[in-house]
Amino acid sequence: MLTILQIPVLTDNYIYLIHDPVSGETATVDPALAQPVLAVLDKKGWRLTYILNTHHHWDHVGGNLELKLKTGCKIIAPQSDRDRIPGIDRGVSEDDVISLGQHQARVISTPGHTSGHIVYYFAEDNALFCGDTLFVMGCGRLFEGTPEQMWNSLQKLKALPPSTRIYCTHEYTQANGRFALSVEPGNSRTRQKMLEVQQLRAENKSTVPSTIEEEIATNPFFRPDSVSIQKTLGLEGLSPLHVFTELRKRKDSF
Ligand code: ZN
Ligand code: FE
């Protein structure tokens, strides 16, 4: 079994450490900073094997060069971002497979937040590292992609097994949940989840990971076919893409 650790950094970022106790290999996902990762590696006695980047934004790659220099790790990142991710050793794209000991992750291309965004899916370990594509009850802003690209990307993630754990890179859950309830006030799962989320945040605890099953039940960006959401938006009977596009637009100014 993989050991997955979550390191909260900056205002609301999470860096992940994935450790395979059998081989001793360790990866970090989206290291915004190097020092907090080095501190945990030191405490655990782990040696860093890989950095896995999901996209080029500074709060996901800021620790790349220092970590590479200090640990000798290899950097795996989107091939199409070769020119804008520091220290990249291996560029990967859709359906490439990366290994951590005997564990494997498949790369899924999810353009939308950025044009080169990818996610890492450890099928046998039921874990998805989804960067800024999918958040708990939300999704990433469209900086470099069209609503259609993002919608197609989210559809791929929605189709993963319901028990898949969602390890996203930001703690945006409370704000996302408020928006979710504003467009679907009658969703009892969302109401219940928000109570749990408020409790966790009051204790300064993480609300991540969630699961694909929970997202299908509560995340408005997974639910453009909800009649209740369509009614709120005045878009009854319109296509999921149309409803998704309007949801994303409204969330931007919520
Ligand atoms: Zn980003
Ligand atoms: Fe980010």
Side-chain angles (χ1 to χ4, degrees), residues 13 55 57 59-60 113 132 135 169-170 172:
N13 277 70
H55 66 293
H57 285 159
D59 62 318
H60 300 251
H113 178 68
D132 287 356
F135 294 124
T169 312
H170 291 277
Y172 288 161

Side-chain angles (χ1 to χ4, degrees), residues 34-45:
Q35 280 309 322
V37 177
L38 292 167
V40 175
L41 288 169
D42 188 51
K43 194 171 126 206
K44 292 283 179 183

Side-chain angles (χ1 to χ4, degrees), residues 8 11 18 27 55 65 74-75 82 131 142 171 182 186 201 217 222:
T11 315
I18 315 171
H55 66 293
L65 292 181
K74 293 271 183 274
I75 300 180
R82 274 204 95 91
L142 304 181
E171 179 63 61
S182 79
R201 294 311 292 154
F222 267 9

